[in-house]
């Protein structure tokens, strides 16, 4: 690892970390807190996806919808207006809106073939954004003079990385540049995520094999065809299954770095306490027989 023990971490003049785990565990909260300290660069994977790798796709999709409205069509064709997405660290709705949901178009759904195409676009975009981490570490120093670096990942990183593969290309690359920090959840947190999602379902990215399996199961259990699927009903039905699918994949990634428990995250209030908790996590790791 980049920092093999607590002493190395504490002595390091430049600290590089990557946060990963389920949504809502504090990845962006910790990132914002450290960035606020003034000497940490915050690299948001979701923001990079939405601006660099999928920005044109998102804008073109919005233009395609606008072209269906005669008033807007005339303005676009005469270059009188332009359409773009206003993505920020705290507003990534354009990305999730573009991903969409499969099912009945009358209910806001799209054809499964189109949905799979967008899922594949997102998969490639997320992997590319993650592989840009080393570049942004250099950029943070050269352009802004920030010695410390946070890579704030999305909840789907575990779909593309295989923690059980000692030669996994994504984890190998990332671990060369950052200390991978797994934010561990609890059963109560998972239950709250499911309740929150049920109130306001959002599009997600799925591993292709998982998506094929749950789609076929949903059609079979509900005795329906694609055109009959309620998009929100499908993604609500799928969400708990997706969390159960992701949990062991996150756990398999944990040995590539260190783990922070919910109590650790709650105790972090500033840079000093963050450094202390990472040092303690490294001590736990080095004292645990492998």
């Amino acid at each position: 690892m980049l920092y093999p023990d607590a002493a190395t971490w504490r002595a390091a003049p430049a600290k590089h970390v990557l946060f990963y785990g389920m949504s809502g565990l504090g990845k962006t909260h910790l990132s914002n807190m450290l960035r606020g300290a003034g000497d940490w660069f915050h690299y948001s994977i979701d923001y990079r996806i939405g601006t660099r790798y999928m920005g044109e796709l998102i804008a073109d999709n919005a233009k395609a919808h606008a072209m269906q409205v005669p008033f807007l069509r005339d303005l676009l064709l005469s270059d009188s207006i332009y359409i773009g997405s206003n993505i920020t660290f705290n507003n990534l709705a354009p990305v999730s809106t573009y991903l969409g949901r499969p099912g009945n178009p009358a209910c806001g759904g799209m054809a499964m073939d189109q949905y799979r195409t967008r899922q594949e676009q997102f998969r490639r975009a997320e992997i590319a954004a993650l592989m840009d981490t080393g570049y942004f570490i250099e950029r943070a120093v050269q352009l802004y003079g920030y010695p410390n670096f946070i890579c704030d990942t999305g909840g789907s990183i575990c779909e593309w990385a295989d923690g059980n593969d000692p030669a996994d290309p994504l984890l190998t690359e990332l671990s060369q540049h950052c200390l991978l920090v797994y934010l561990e959840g609890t059963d109560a947190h998972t239950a709250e995520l499911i309740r929150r999602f049920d109130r306001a379902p959002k599009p997600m990215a799925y591993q292709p094999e998982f998506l094929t399996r749950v789609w076929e199961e949903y059609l079979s259990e509900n005795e329906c065809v694609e055109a009959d699927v309620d998009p929100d009903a499908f993604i609500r039905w799928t969400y708990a299954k997706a969390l159960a699918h992701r949990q062991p994949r996150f756990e398999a990634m944990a040995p590539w770095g260190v783990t922070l428990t919910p109590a650790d995250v709650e105790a972090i209030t500033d840079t000093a306490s963050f450094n202390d908790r990472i040092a303690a996590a490294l001590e736990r790791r080095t004292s645990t027989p492998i």
Side-chain angles (χ1 to χ4, degrees), residues 12-244:
K15 295 177 170 61
H16 304 157
V17 296
L18 178 149
F19 296 138
Y20 72 94
M22 294 286 190
S23 300
L25 285 173
K27 299 188 296 292
T28 300
H29 167 72
L30 290 179
S31 299
N32 287 334
M33 184 204 69
L34 293 172
R35 183 181 64 192
D39 58 353
W40 287 82
F41 184 91
H42 179 188
Y43 176 49
S44 166
I45 293 298
D46 285 339
Y47 181 80
R48 178 69 168 168
I49 290 170
T51 53
R52 170 63 175 84
Y53 290 108
M54 294 186 72
E56 188 173 279
L57 293 169
I58 292 167
D60 284 353
N61 183 54
K63 290 173 186 175
H65 283 277
M67 288 289 284
Q68 297 173 24
V69 180
F71 174 74
L72 296 177
R73 174 186 173 87
D74 291 342
L75 291 173
L76 283 170
L77 290 175
S78 63
D79 291 327
S80 299
I81 62 171
Y82 69 90
I83 292 177
S85 61
N86 189 26
I87 293 176
T88 67
F89 280 16
N90 298 313
N91 178 22
L92 299 164
V95 179
S96 60
T97 299
Y98 177 78
L99 280 177
R101 302 155 299 165
N104 187 346
C107 299
M110 67 176 66
M112 176 51 80
D113 286 346
Q114 182 183 21
Y115 185 70
R116 284 196 173 100
T117 296
R118 295 190 181 189
Q119 288 279 314
E120 175 60 17
Q121 290 168 345
F122 184 89
R123 183 191 70 84
R124 294 197 303 265
E126 184 164 28
I127 291 172
L130 288 163
M131 295 296 277
D132 283 344
T133 298
Y135 162 71
F136 269 88
I137 289 174
E138 295 179 0
R139 187 168 182 253
V141 173
Q142 294 173 0
L143 193 58
Y144 302 109
Y146 289 129
N148 304 311
F149 182 91
I150 318 135
C151 180
D152 177 11
T153 70
S156 51
I157 182 176
C158 67
E159 302 284 14
W160 330 125
D162 182 0
N164 291 314
D165 179 1
D168 181 80
L170 189 54
L171 294 176
T172 298
E173 170 67 15
L174 293 171
S175 61
Q176 290 176 354
H177 299 290
C178 296
L179 174 66
L180 274 57
V181 180
Y182 173 39
L183 302 192
E184 189 177 50
T186 63
D187 290 342
H189 172 259
T190 300
E192 175 56 27
L193 280 180
I194 293 171
R195 285 193 295 270
R196 188 187 310 169
F197 190 88
D198 190 60
R199 291 193 299 269
K202 299 185 300 183
M204 286 181 62
Y206 305 108
Q207 194 179 64
E209 296 82 3
F210 171 82
L211 177 60
T212 296
R213 175 172 63 80
V214 295
W215 180 249
E216 291 175 353
E217 288 178 3
Y218 185 86
L219 295 180
S220 176
E221 288 186 17
N222 291 275
E223 298 181 345
C224 63
V225 296
E226 178 179 313
D228 298 327
V229 172
D230 180 324
D232 280 345
F234 170 71
I235 60 174
R236 281 191 175 99
W237 180 87
T238 302
Y239 187 69
K241 297 177 184 295
L243 294 186

Side-chain angles (χ1 to χ4, degrees), residues 1-9 179 282-283 285-286:
M1 292 194 306
L2 196 61
Y3 311 99
D5 52 49
T8 304
W9 166 260
L179 174 66
L282 284 163
E283 288 173 355
R285 177 188 169 89
T286 55

